[in-house]
């Protein structure tokens, strides 16, 4: 049975105070950006995908190879295996 990893969070100066108990162990250090840095790159709100951007192209096919392209699609499809 494996034990849970020890998780420490704080400034470098606070982490260093645990150096005696960390000696000889493998550690991972993750640098967390300052709040001022993270606010420079705001995360856009989640918007689920929609087909609206594709609809503006509906009915605008300008080629004479539609039948050939459709035939290639059907020829290159493969059977699904479940």
């Amino acid at each position: 049975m494996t034990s849970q990893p020890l998780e420490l969070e704080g400034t470098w100066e606070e982490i260093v105070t645990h150096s005696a108990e960390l000696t000889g162990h493998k550690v991972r250090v993750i640098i967390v950006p300052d709040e001022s840095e993270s606010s420079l790159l705001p995360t856009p709100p989640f918007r689920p995908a929609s087909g609206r951007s594709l609809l503006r192209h509906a009915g605008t096919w300008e080629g004479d190879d539609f039948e050939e392209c459709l035939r290639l699609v059907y020829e290159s499809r493969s059977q699904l295996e479940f």
Side-chain angles (χ1 to χ4, degrees), residues 78-82:
S78 61
Q79 295 293 323
L80 292 177
E81 294 180 20
F82 294 98

Side-chain angles (χ1 to χ4, degrees), residues 9-60:
E9 185 173 333
T11 64
W12 179 250
E13 293 77 13
E14 294 167 336
I15 300 298
V16 170
T17 63
H18 296 274
S19 63
E21 63 188 282
L22 298 175
T23 300
H25 293 280
K26 184 176 179 178
V27 297
R28 177 183 298 155
V29 177
I30 299 174
I31 308 299
V32 180
D34 293 336
E35 289 183 20
S36 60
E37 290 179 28
S38 62
S39 65
L40 296 176
L41 301 171
T43 304
F46 174 73
R47 289 182 10 199
S50 72
R52 183 175 299 171
S53 62
L54 294 175
L55 286 177
R56 67 176 172 232
H57 302 289
T60 61

Side-chain angles (χ1 to χ4, degrees), residues 42-79:
T43 304
F46 174 73
R47 289 182 10 199
S50 72
R52 183 175 299 171
S53 62
L54 294 175
L55 286 177
R56 67 176 172 232
H57 302 289
T60 61
W61 182 264
E62 292 185 16
D64 58 357
D65 61 343
F66 177 75
E67 295 297 329
E68 179 184 349
C69 290
L70 188 59
R71 182 181 53 76
L72 287 170
V73 168
Y74 283 118
E75 288 175 358
S76 61
R77 293 191 330 184
S78 61
Q79 295 293 323

